[in-house]
Amino acid sequence: MVTLIDTVSAKAVRHPEKQNRPETPVLRKPEWLRVKAPGSAGYNETRGIVRDHKLVTVCEEAACPNIGECWTQKHATMMIMGETCTRACAFCNVATGMPNPLDPTEPQRVAEAVAKMGLKHVVITSVDRDDLTDGGADHFAKVVRAIRVAAPLTTIEILTPDFLRKDGSEKIVIDSKPDVFNHNLETVPRLYLKIRPGARYFHSLRLLQQVKERDPEQFTKSGLMVGLGETKEEVMQVMDDMRSAGVDFITIGQYLQPTRKHAAVDRFVTPDEFKAYEAIARAKGFLMVSSSPLTRSSHHAGEDFAKLQAARRAREGVTA
């Protein structure tokens, strides 16, 4: 066991729905999950750009362990539509509550920051906005279009909510033509009620399938956390489900517990097990697989996008 330093205790309202939950034990991280504290010149420059444009990043809000590495390389994942989510997933560190109205200046501010950073590839994600009639789909599309104008050479990856009970909203986002449409399944179906209670597994799977039906050329991507109590057989079944939905790219990473009020880590999956998952996923036909303890949806996204394009060309027999 280990003493957990809760860096968000000063914001007791960050997770109001979790305040009455019993505290869960926190396991000591193994050596392969240790990362350096951020603080390089590149990190500080990226932080300055994010602050100057009044942007929110999932890197900070979700307490991503890769923030030091990514921000040093000027890779920041923008989180649009505010910093407050309408859902309360048991794994997530993003604040829960009633969000503020959408900021109409945000698409332009995001686009300007992308251009200023000189990003070749950018990842745009968001909180869940169940309070909006379209779940924020039109706002997502405006951000994509603004980036196309401000940084026309930048490829765009979006990591979207599920647009549950927002019929037709997904079409608005798909039609904005991002280069990669990412929506994470997060965990196996058996654990949804415990880990992702506001979502529905087969709805999320159907969303990914709809992207391919509407725009077959658009890359699709989805991710899983492991170490929550799932079995190897369940992970393999999710891989099969993803492939049936036409998903091109799967990411698999270790779940890390943000605070004692969040879901507990069942176990730390070893690097060798992650390598085995990668081999299985490749054998099932994914164009791209990222599977390691520190893998996250947007980690190395730019490099992975180039590999994804190359894999498609190779499969289609097209030379670069």
Side-chain angles (χ1 to χ4, degrees):
M1 304 299 291
V2 64
T3 300
L4 182 71
I5 299 175
D6 185 355
T7 58
V8 299
S9 58
K11 297 182 179 180
V13 295
R14 186 177 182 88
H15 304 294
E17 81 296 337
K18 295 182 174 69
Q19 296 309 303
N20 296 323
R21 293 182 183 178
E23 293 191 350
T24 54
V26 178
L27 303 179
R28 182 181 295 277
K29 292 179 184 177
E31 192 62 36
W32 62 78
L33 280 168
R34 307 293 169 84
V35 294
K36 292 182 179 180
S40 68
Y43 170 88
N44 290 328
E45 183 179 353
T46 299
R47 186 174 184 272
I49 293 173
V50 168
R51 296 291 180 271
D52 289 346
H53 290 80
K54 298 181 175 60
L55 302 175
V56 178
T57 68
V58 75
C59 319
E60 295 174 292
E61 295 302 314
C64 180
N66 300 315
I67 187 171
E69 176 191 350
C70 292
W71 281 29
T72 294
Q73 299 172 8
K74 294 187 179 179
H75 295 163
T77 298
M78 311 296 181
M79 190 169 79
I80 61 174
M81 297 194 282
E83 57 188 11
T84 305
C85 187
T86 54
R87 298 198 189 168
C89 296
F91 66 87
C92 186
N93 197 45
V94 174
T96 300
M98 179 54 70
N100 292 322
L102 294 178
D103 181 350
T105 71
E106 184 175 55
Q108 188 59 37
R109 287 188 289 105
V110 170
E112 290 172 357
V114 170
K116 189 171 184 178
M117 289 182 187
L119 299 181
K120 292 182 179 179
H121 186 83
V122 65
V123 182
I124 306 295
T125 189
S126 78
V127 290
D128 276 288
R129 292 298 303 256
D130 295 313
D131 58 309
L132 301 175
T133 56
D134 69 348
D138 184 61
H139 197 77
F140 245 111
K142 287 177 179 176
V143 171
V144 173
R145 290 194 293 268
I147 295 172
R148 294 290 188 214
V149 173
L153 298 181
T154 300
T155 50
I156 302 171
E157 179 173 329
I158 59 172
L159 173 55
T160 76
D162 57 12
F163 304 111
L164 185 64
R165 291 182 288 275
K166 309 294 182 183
D167 293 347
S169 293
E170 73 286 341
K171 298 175 184 177
I172 298 171
V173 185
I174 297 167
D175 291 348
S176 70
K177 298 287 184 180
D179 297 283
V180 181
F181 192 115
N182 185 357
H183 174 65
N184 287 333
L185 294 184
E186 305 291 11
T187 190
V188 301
R190 177 176 58 85
L191 296 178
Y192 256 56
L193 186 59
K194 174 183 176 183
I195 302 301
R196 202 176 174 222
R200 300 294 179 268
Y201 177 79
F202 289 104
H203 173 85
S204 286
L205 194 65
R206 174 62 182 150
L207 171 62
L208 290 161
Q209 184 179 37
Q210 285 175 301
V211 178
K212 282 298 187 185
E213 290 175 351
R214 193 166 181 87
D215 185 359
E217 294 303 307
Q218 211 165 114
F219 287 109
T220 49
K221 179 177 176 181
S222 190
L224 282 176
M225 299 174 292
V226 292
L228 281 162
E230 71 291 326
T231 66
K232 180 180 178 180
E233 291 74 20
E234 286 176 316
V235 172
M236 291 170 64
Q237 181 61 60
V238 172
M239 289 181 188
D240 287 336
D241 290 345
M242 286 186 185
R243 288 301 301 131
S244 294
V247 173
D248 299 302
F249 186 172
I250 182 174
T251 61
I252 308 173
Q254 172 70 51
Y255 165 66
L256 297 176
Q257 182 178 352
T259 74
R260 291 186 183 277
K261 296 293 186 177
H262 287 77
V265 174
D266 178 71
R267 72 184 185 95
F268 291 112
V269 179
T270 68
D272 284 345
E273 290 176 279
F274 277 104
K275 289 180 182 177
Y277 277 139
E278 179 177 358
I280 292 168
R282 290 193 182 280
K284 288 181 181 294
F286 288 95
L287 282 177
M288 183 70 193
V289 182
S290 180
S291 176
S292 74
L294 286 171
T295 287
R296 297 296 182 268
S297 289
S298 56
H299 193 212
H300 297 157
E303 299 167 30
D304 288 343
F305 177 67
K307 294 176 183 176
L308 189 60
Q309 289 178 305
R312 173 182 280 178
R313 288 195 297 267
R315 179 170 292 183
E316 295 175 348
V318 178
T319 56

